[in-house]
Amino acid sequence: MVSMILKMSGMTVLYTLLTVLLYKRTSDKPMTAPRKIIIGIIFGFCSVLSTHFGVDFNHMMVNVRDIGPLAAGLFFHPLSGIIAGLIGGIERYIAGTYWGVGSYTTIACSVSTCLAGIVAALTHIYIFKRKKPNGIYAFFIGAVMEVFHMYAVLITHRDDMEMAFYVVRTCAIPMITFTGVGMAVTSVVLQILCGEWKSPFRRRKSEEVPVSRRFEAWLFIVTASVLVINWGFAFLLQTQSARQSARYTLTDVSQDIAQNYESIQRTQEGISNLAETLVLNNTRAIAGAIDHIGSVDEVNESTLEYWRSLYGLESVSLISQEGAQLVSAGESPRYMGLLGGLVVGDVDYQSARLSASRVVAGARCRDAIVQCVMDTDDISQALNQSGRYDNLSRFHVGSGGGFDIVSPVGYSIGGDHRGQILDEWKVATKRLNAAETFFTEEIFKVKSFCRVERLQDGALLLTHLPEKEVYANRDMQAYETALADILLFAVIYLLISVLVQQIVVDNLQRVNKSLDKITGGDLNEVVNVRTASEFASLSDDINQTVSVLKGYISAAEKRIEQELEFARSIQDAALPKHFKYPRDDFEIFAIMDPAKEVGGDFYDFFFVDNDHMGLVIADVSGKGIPAALFMMRAKTTLRNLAESGRAPSEILFRANNTLCDGNDAEMFVTAWIGIIDLNNGEMRCANAGHEYPMIMRAGGEYALFKDKHGLALGAMEGMRFTEYEMKLDPGDRLFVYTDGVPEAINVDEQQYGTDRLTEKLNALRGVSMTETLPAVRADVADFAGSAEQFDDITMLGFAYYGTEGRQAP
Amino acid sequence: MTINKQKNGSTLTIAVQGRLDTTTAPDLEKEIKTSLDGVTELIMDFEKLDYISSAGLRVLLSAQKVMSKQGSMKVVHVSELVMEVFEVTGFTDILTIE
């Protein structure tokens, strides 16, 4: 037993190791056809090895052959499972048929191994959806496969149930256990390796448990209990019926034996009566003969011997009146006393029984008594030989039971232990005294069903049947029903699980998938699961909800769009649009081209007084309504401060503080401001984190003017800004812009960049500012191509012509 | 844009990859806002940042403001292009750039 467990464990561990090694080697590679076939062959070969290295257990070979195809099919690929199953099964058939290896179970074994591969392949595809089964499922598949194996042994040997039953009883538990546990351990090890292992004992919140899992758990409990209860009832019924039938058997046999025994008794009685008469008559005849002889003295031993053999007697004696033996043939002195007692007195002659088989008679003759003893055994034996007598030995109780007729002193006078003193007699008497006819007791060293009865002559009749024999049929049936029930259970369980999966879970998942798309933003997704009325109505409800929602959203969108349109027009209206001034000492032009939404760019220009003009370009961080509102605030603040005649650094300092005040949204605006004295072209500027301005000196080229930078407005309170001065001479040009220009991208996400901007501007030196800006805008648009404009594009161009006025360029 | 967060004690390193513009800045802002609890040193790793717009700067600014109160913040591995943006916008004055 222990050696069997150790060997089987060793084989199972080898299987697990092989599976884990193969899995580690193949899990990161694609499952190509040759790989599937090689894995199938490896496991098939292991299956074959298991057949030939089976473990001897109670004269039976137990093995774990079926793990091969199961592991190949469940953990690798369906095709590998089928190949391994065919190799293992066909080899098993050949080994059984031609090499005499375990030929008794050839068919059952080879069929179930082939089937193991197919079952593994099918469950891998349809039940586990090509994922690894967890430990519990793996155990059940392994165990159920072996149950089928055992059941196959039973059904292929209907005509020889006892042998088949012996095979199954020996092999079932080790093979089912080791195959199941082997599969479970392999699965758990693989899951741990892949990091997918979840302890089945961890209590999970109900929201984590899928419907199918819960349903399967209940299905398992319900089906299993129904089958267990059903099996239990059948078992009880079988037990009852076995006991009942044992009682019938015992009673029947007992009655027959009792009848027979009594008839033997009667025959014995008849023989004895006959013998009594016979012996008396013979004795009288001898007495008469002696009277005829005349004197007792003339009768010698040889005369008596003559009579003894003539009449077939055991002994013939002549006894004096006083009781002393005179002459004897075949004498048996111990009868003397008895006979002496009998014949003393007036009785002329007498006969009596000495024992069950001996009768004696006496008769008077001249002054003496003739005493003859006859043994009736001879008659009995003669009868017996003719078959009419003492045939108790022909009785059988079942095939392993027996009976004994025990005399009141515990001596077996008939049956299996005839002639022995039986200890069992005490037990039987005790039971009988307690009025228990039937009882179960260890009798003749075998636990048996017994029946005891007192016969008419006071002897006890004890019949017994070994318990094993009583329950043999029940046990066989119990095994077979249990195996059949487990198979039935597996089939029902699988079918219902698959049905639930297909009818409920799959549809739920389809609904969920559509819902995911909807929540992901695709409101055009239509849920269309119409396999059951509930799903149809659920689908309809969801679709309706989505369409209502869509209506609301589009209404809201329209409103927002309208409002944004308004916001944009207000924002646009806030920017100065009149570029023509009735003087020719400068030229100004600006463009603000917002991205899709309202943005935060703005430009501004205004006269501080007759000679001073303020130029502003700014960019608010972010987009949308917040940026637009912040822009309006920034623009108003800057212009108010500038119009009050402050210096640019002062304007930015104050504007920054104003904008920082209560700036919870943490918005900021980059701004460049310049205030030019139109009389002499002197310009004082300050830059709060804005793009470098571009300057073109008369006759020269555009170049970035890397001025001193401060932090954007609104970012941090109390910042100081450096102010600088630059002088524009007649013919000089200034170009300021927001980052939307250099950072415009094309479809390849390349930026337009300041280099390209400078180049373009230089190409436009000959045209007026009013023409330059739209040309730059067009160039940016050309560059961007189909790429979306994601930032506002704003620019402001200023050309200084001086007091001399504008010369034709 | 992809954001990679790595927390080591009270030091949080956020590596930003791709473009940090109007569309992606809110994601970074949410990431930062939800993970600044108990952080005393915030490191912004801009090694793989291709572009930063004013919306991105705003996120940096608000992170800087929070971190000034509870510890320090620095920006590391700044590319030339991004550095230019920091310089132009004056952010070099308020950020610790390494």
Side-chain angles (χ1 to χ4, degrees):
Chain A
M1 176 87 159
V2 176
S3 111
M4 180 279 286
I5 290 175
L6 285 178
K7 283 181 193 167
M8 289 288 274
S9 307
M11 290 213 183
T12 315
V13 167
L14 282 180
Y15 257 122
T16 305
L17 282 180
L18 172 82
T19 313
V20 170
L21 278 179
L22 273 177
Y23 193 86
K24 281 193 89 171
R25 294 211 68 161
T26 57
S27 60
D28 52 344
K29 291 169 192 138
M31 245 313 167
T32 53
R35 208 162 262 145
K36 293 172 201 166
I37 294 170
I38 288 171
I39 289 174
I41 293 174
I42 292 175
F43 277 102
F45 186 66
C46 291
S47 214
V48 170
L49 284 182
S50 320
T51 307
H52 294 279
F53 289 92
V55 179
D56 192 345
F57 178 53
N58 290 355
H59 316 296
M60 289 291 139
M61 298 300 266
V62 290
N63 57 49
V64 283
R65 180 179 50 248
D66 292 349
I67 292 185
L70 286 176
L74 285 176
F75 300 129
F76 294 91
H77 192 271
L79 183 68
S80 315
I82 291 174
I83 292 174
L86 287 178
I87 294 176
I90 292 172
E91 197 281 338
R92 176 69 181 84
Y93 183 79
I94 296 169
T97 313
Y98 300 105
W99 306 331
V101 177
S103 30
Y104 186 76
T105 54
T106 297
I107 306 240
C109 285
S110 47
V111 165
S112 59
T113 302
C114 289
L115 198 69
I118 296 167
V119 165
L122 292 180
T123 50
H124 183 81
I125 297 172
Y126 295 108
I127 309 286
F128 303 117
K129 313 273 182 206
R130 296 182 184 266
K131 287 183 200 135
K132 285 186 290 301
N134 70 23
I136 298 172
Y137 286 117
F139 173 83
F140 275 107
I141 291 202
V144 168
M145 214 48 243
E146 286 316 284
V147 167
F148 174 82
H149 190 167
M150 294 301 126
Y151 194 65
V153 171
L154 286 184
I155 52 175
T156 48
H157 290 283
R158 274 276 171 239
D159 49 346
D160 180 21
M161 283 301 273
E162 250 172 78
M163 179 63 193
F165 181 54
Y166 178 75
V167 173
V168 169
R169 211 174 39 183
T170 313
C171 302
I173 299 212
M175 286 179 71
I176 291 171
T177 312
F178 279 101
T179 308
V181 171
M183 290 299 293
V185 169
T186 310
S187 152
V188 169
V189 172
L190 286 184
Q191 282 190 320
I192 290 172
L193 274 182
C194 301
E196 294 167 6
W197 198 70
K198 283 183 225 139
S199 165
F201 304 108
R202 189 171 64 88
R203 181 165 275 283
R204 285 197 278 178
K205 280 189 231 141
S206 41
E207 60 183 43
E208 293 174 322
V209 185
V211 163
S212 57
R213 182 62 53 82
R214 178 157 309 167
F215 187 86
E216 278 165 15
W218 279 108
L219 180 66
F220 181 88
I221 294 169
V222 171
T223 353
S225 25
V226 165
L227 288 175
V228 165
I229 291 169
N230 177 41
W231 182 86
F233 272 118
F235 187 80
L236 272 180
L237 209 68
Q238 299 259 358
T239 309
Q240 288 298 337
S241 129
R243 291 166 75 100
Q244 195 60 46
S245 114
R247 284 180 181 206
Y248 282 139
T249 310
L250 289 177
T251 310
D252 278 357
V253 176
S254 293
Q255 277 172 356
D256 285 353
I257 293 171
Q259 269 176 14
N260 212 272
Y261 175 74
E262 276 155 17
S263 105
I264 289 167
Q265 293 290 89
R266 276 197 300 278
T267 314
Q268 194 81 41
E269 185 68 26
I271 292 168
S272 297
N273 288 343
L274 191 73
E276 268 176 46
T277 321
L278 198 65
V279 78
L280 190 58
N281 287 342
N282 290 345
T283 312
R284 280 182 181 161
I286 294 168
I290 292 172
D291 282 344
H292 189 73
I293 288 167
S295 165
V296 176
D297 299 336
E298 282 175 46
V299 178
N300 57 18
E301 200 183 325
S302 65
T303 326
L304 289 184
E305 179 55 39
Y306 169 75
W307 280 323
R308 190 190 74 79
S309 67
L310 180 69
Y311 295 115
L313 296 167
E314 190 181 8
S315 65
V316 180
S317 335
L318 210 54
I319 295 159
S320 71
Q321 292 279 17
E322 289 76 32
Q325 185 176 298
L326 302 174
V327 195
S328 173
E331 171 220 2
S332 183
R334 68 188 169 104
Y335 307 132
M336 300 295 298
L338 280 168
L339 191 67
L342 273 171
V343 294
V344 171
D346 300 327
V347 182
D348 208 14
Y349 45 82
Q350 187 62 276
S351 74
R353 269 174 229 180
L354 287 174
S355 74
S357 63
R358 281 197 172 78
V359 285
V360 63
R364 277 177 194 280
C365 61
R366 299 173 179 263
D367 306 330
I369 296 162
V370 180
Q371 176 190 274
C372 295
V373 176
M374 190 175 202
D375 190 348
T376 58
D377 263 0
D378 297 340
I379 306 168
S380 304
Q381 267 164 26
L383 274 173
N384 206 1
Q385 270 161 12
S386 71
R388 290 168 176 274
Y389 182 69
D390 190 17
N391 39 6
L392 280 181
S393 57
R394 75 185 156 90
F395 287 101
H396 295 285
V397 184
S399 59
F403 71 95
D404 273 293
I405 296 169
V406 194
S407 76
V409 288
Y411 178 78
S412 173
I413 49 176
D416 304 325
H417 304 88
R418 186 175 176 180
Q420 296 174 19
I421 301 284
L422 302 180
D423 284 342
E424 284 74 9
W425 164 76
K426 289 176 200 152
V427 179
T429 316
K430 208 169 101 193
R431 295 283 188 168
L432 192 65
N433 292 342
E436 290 179 63
T437 316
F438 295 99
F439 58 94
T440 313
E441 195 75 56
E442 191 170 309
I443 281 219
F444 304 115
K445 290 177 187 149
V446 180
K447 179 115 170 153
S448 304
F449 260 66
C450 310
R451 182 183 187 278
V452 65
E453 179 186 0
R454 195 176 291 283
L455 299 173
Q456 279 174 350
D457 66 347
L460 294 182
L461 171 59
L462 177 64
T463 43
H464 51 93
L465 199 55
E467 199 176 52
K468 230 178 177 176
E469 192 179 327
V470 172
Y471 290 136
N473 205 38
R474 176 202 70 175
D475 289 350
M476 230 184 296
Q477 295 262 359
Y479 259 86
E480 196 178 331
T481 324
L483 295 178
D485 276 355
I486 292 171
L487 287 179
L488 192 70
F489 165 77
V491 170
I492 292 175
Y493 183 85
L494 279 186
L495 278 181
I496 296 187
S497 308
V498 169
L499 282 179
V500 166
Q501 185 75 32
Q502 285 190 343
I503 295 174
V504 183
V505 179
D506 284 357
N507 286 327
L508 278 179
Q509 276 167 356
R510 279 170 64 197
V511 171
N512 257 340
K513 220 175 177 179
S514 294
L515 276 178
D516 278 352
K517 275 191 196 162
I518 291 168
T519 44
D522 181 7
L523 291 180
N524 293 323
E525 173 73 12
V526 177
V527 188
N528 199 7
V529 180
R530 316 212 73 87
T531 47
S533 66
E534 288 88 345
F535 287 116
S537 94
L538 180 64
S539 301
D540 292 344
D541 288 352
I542 292 173
N543 291 338
Q544 208 178 343
T545 310
V546 170
S547 89
V548 169
L549 208 60
K550 246 158 88 179
Y552 282 132
I553 289 172
S554 81
E557 253 173 7
K558 238 178 224 160
R559 213 189 62 221
I560 291 169
E561 216 167 278
Q562 252 170 6
E563 284 175 1
L564 280 175
E565 200 57 49
F566 283 135
R568 193 183 287 183
S569 65
I570 293 169
Q571 193 183 23
D572 197 45
L575 303 179
K577 291 286 171 5
H578 291 287
F579 304 108
K580 297 268 182 262
Y581 285 89
R583 50 198 290 176
D584 57 2
D585 48 354
F586 70 91
E587 186 200 356
I588 194 160
F589 196 74
I591 288 181
M592 206 281 275
D593 193 356
K596 215 165 142 200
E597 317 172 44
V598 284
D601 280 13
F602 69 94
Y603 66 82
D604 202 4
F605 55 90
F606 45 85
F607 279 100
V608 177
D609 54 42
N610 265 342
D611 304 321
H612 289 89
M613 188 176 208
L615 304 174
V616 175
I617 188 145
D619 180 1
V620 177
S621 62
K623 279 195 190 112
I625 301 285
L629 288 173
F630 198 76
M631 166 245 165
M632 293 300 276
R633 217 179 135 203
K635 182 177 169 293
T636 321
T637 310
L638 283 172
R639 191 190 271 213
N640 284 346
L641 288 167
E643 282 176 348
S644 65
R646 290 170 209 275
S649 59
E650 178 71 9
I651 295 169
L652 292 188
F653 174 70
R654 285 179 181 247
N656 180 46
N657 286 351
T658 309
L659 292 173
C660 280
D661 192 21
N663 183 16
D664 292 335
E666 286 168 336
M667 306 200 71
F668 57 82
V669 54
T670 66
W672 176 90
I673 183 165
I675 292 174
I676 186 166
D677 185 341
L678 294 169
N679 290 324
N680 52 18
E682 271 175 13
M683 184 157 72
R684 287 191 293 159
C685 317
N687 191 337
H690 200 78
E691 304 284 323
Y692 297 116
M694 291 260 199
I695 302 286
M696 186 204 86
R697 294 301 176 184
E701 294 199 329
Y702 277 98
L704 281 178
F705 181 79
K706 301 221 169 175
D707 56 358
K708 284 262 181 187
H709 268 63
L711 187 63
L713 303 178
M716 205 162 276
E717 218 170 330
M719 293 295 288
R720 291 276 171 191
F721 298 88
T722 324
E723 188 172 309
Y724 61 91
E725 208 165 288
M726 81 166 103
K727 188 166 172 355
L728 293 185
D729 294 319
D732 286 359
R733 287 179 174 192
L734 171 74
F735 178 84
V736 284
Y737 52 92
T738 58
D739 55 4
V741 179
E743 288 167 12
I745 50 167
N746 63 7
V747 280
D748 301 325
E749 294 208 343
Q750 280 177 318
Q751 292 196 346
Y752 184 70
T754 46
D755 291 347
R756 226 177 244 114
L757 177 61
T758 320
E759 208 174 295
K760 185 67 195 170
L761 282 170
N762 283 333
L764 293 163
R765 276 175 298 174
V767 299
S768 69
M769 263 305 167
T770 318
E771 290 161 283
T772 303
L773 266 58
V776 171
R777 177 67 190 92
D779 193 51
V780 172
D782 276 353
F783 172 79
S786 60
E788 198 192 336
Q789 180 193 340
F790 69 95
D791 204 354
D792 301 348
I793 291 177
T794 308
M795 33 198 161
L796 183 133
F798 182 85
Y800 182 64
Y801 300 121
T803 44
E804 305 287 300
R806 183 173 177 182
Q807 315 289 314
Chain B
M1 183 190 64
T2 43
I3 300 165
N4 252 317
K5 287 199 292 187
Q6 200 175 357
K7 196 161 181 186
N8 192 359
S10 62
T11 304
L12 177 70
T13 308
I14 298 183
V16 187
Q17 193 175 348
R19 293 172 61 86
L20 185 53
D21 53 28
T22 324
T23 31
T24 55
D27 298 340
L28 181 65
E29 187 172 17
K30 209 165 35 173
E31 281 294 326
I32 291 180
K33 260 190 182 154
T34 51
S35 46
L36 282 189
D37 262 0
V39 174
T40 57
E41 191 184 11
L42 175 66
I43 299 171
M44 301 294 300
D45 187 346
F46 283 174
E47 191 176 2
K48 287 170 179 164
L49 185 72
D50 301 330
Y51 170 73
I52 185 163
S53 82
S54 56
L57 291 176
R58 197 177 76 78
V59 175
L60 279 188
L61 178 66
S62 73
Q64 177 67 56
K65 281 185 177 170
V66 175
M67 290 313 296
S68 312
K69 284 177 203 146
Q70 63 187 63
S72 65
M73 167 174 147
K74 61 181 177 185
V75 184
V76 298
H77 302 129
V78 180
S79 70
E80 223 171 287
L81 209 72
V82 174
M83 192 63 196
E84 211 179 291
V85 175
F86 285 158
E87 276 168 6
V88 167
T89 51
F91 266 69
T92 38
D93 297 350
I94 55 158
L95 295 177
T96 312
I97 301 168
E98 281 182 5

